[in-house]
Amino acid sequence: MLTVAPDWAYALQLPHDPRAPRIARTTLRAVLDGHGLDDLADTAGLLASEMVTNAYRHTGEPSSLRLRGLSDGRLRITVWDTDPTVPPPFDKPPCPGAGTGADVVDAEAENGRGLHLVRLWADNWGSCLLGDGDQPWPGPRGKLLWIELVRRERFTMAA
């Protein structure tokens, strides 16, 4: 008898198109619903949408979204794009105090608000640079940004 769900993964190639964040969010919701993780859909959709929007705004190239469910209850969302610049908070590992609101974005800031949500709601995050432009082999260049969300137990109020 299987008591732990097996790992699974889905990948979505996104053209450089302003509709890409909405399509990514819609696909993510369908995948999470299909795997019984609809309780993560609002947070996952918002954070994935922000990451895909960043990819669209800062490159003139396609991007991709990868969703991976891990057997320990974590959901990993990865976005690849061709820009090698790693934005905050992905340039540093999560630290104590992350998600407490202690790290506030300036009210006058024109950028950086969306990815600030990662600090508030993701359980973990990171980045990986791909290629350097001088690599002798073909393949992806740019970066991967990833976040993880942990499924929490649902609590119900006793009557």
Side-chain angles (χ1 to χ4, degrees):
M1 179 159 107
L2 184 66
T3 58
V4 176
D7 291 1
W8 50 262
Y10 294 84
L12 177 63
Q13 303 301 314
L14 298 162
H16 186 256
D17 186 296
R19 296 169 288 207
R22 180 174 46 89
I23 291 167
R25 192 171 48 249
T26 300
T27 302
L28 179 141
R29 284 185 173 277
V31 168
L32 294 183
D33 183 55
H35 285 278
L37 298 171
D38 53 319
D39 54 313
L40 292 177
D42 289 339
T43 301
L46 176 64
L47 298 180
S49 182
E50 291 296 340
M51 290 168 41
V52 171
T53 296
N54 232 37
Y56 171 75
R57 290 185 66 205
H58 296 285
T59 72
E61 305 286 331
S63 61
S64 66
L65 172 75
R66 184 165 191 248
L67 307 172
R68 185 167 181 213
L70 302 170
S71 58
D72 63 2
R74 290 179 293 142
L75 170 67
R76 180 173 277 201
I77 302 169
T78 305
V79 173
W80 165 80
D81 69 47
T82 58
D83 181 6
T85 306
V86 177
F90 295 95
D91 57 344
K92 298 180 208 62
C95 59
T100 63
D103 188 16
V104 178
V105 174
D106 180 2
E108 301 299 318
E110 293 184 22
N111 296 309
R113 293 173 186 267
L115 292 180
H116 176 69
L117 296 174
V118 171
R119 288 187 196 116
L120 296 174
W121 291 339
D123 293 297
N124 199 4
W125 63 77
S127 63
C128 178
L129 290 176
L130 302 173
D132 61 4
D134 293 330
Q135 66 194 35
W137 63 89
R141 292 178 172 87
K143 67 179 172 297
L144 295 171
L145 301 180
W146 59 267
I147 63 167
E148 288 181 344
L149 299 173
V150 176
R151 190 169 195 195
R152 307 288 194 272
E153 292 294 322
R154 293 185 185 185
F155 294 100
T156 57
M157 301 277 298

